[in-house]
Amino acid sequence: APRLRTLEGQTIGILSNNWQCMTYVTEEFRERLTKDYGAREVIAYDTPNTAALPTNLMMDAISRCDAAIVGMGN
């Protein structure tokens, strides 16, 4: 997918694998993305620790998010 020119007004998804630090990391990203970069909304998706995001959540993320942050939390 092409990079977004700006995050302003965009909806950003965060795929969290529920490691202990991800609660804090997700909230920090949510605050920075909305306050500093003007994102309209940040949606957190909880993924299993050892498996792919379930299809229904993946389809929701695809339909609602303009970009996603993936692969953090270990």
Side-chain angles (χ1 to χ4, degrees):
R3 290 181 182 220
L4 298 175
R5 294 179 66 120
T6 181
L7 297 179
E8 189 171 342
Q10 306 295 327
T11 298
I12 310 300
I14 298 179
L15 279 65
S16 167
N17 60 2
N18 292 312
W19 286 78
Q20 292 177 352
C21 67
M22 279 307 295
T23 300
Y24 303 107
V25 170
T26 299
E27 288 310 311
E28 185 68 22
F29 266 88
R30 184 185 315 271
E31 184 175 334
R32 296 287 167 234
L33 289 166
T34 55
K35 290 183 179 177
D36 297 347
Y37 295 95
R40 177 179 39 149
E41 182 178 15
V42 176
I43 303 170
Y45 293 92
D46 292 331
T47 66
N49 287 357
T50 58
L53 190 65
T55 302
N56 65 319
L57 292 180
M58 179 65 72
M59 297 310 294
D60 186 73
I62 289 168
S63 69
R64 295 175 64 194
C65 298
D66 300 297
I69 298 171
V70 184
M72 304 180 317
N74 6 353

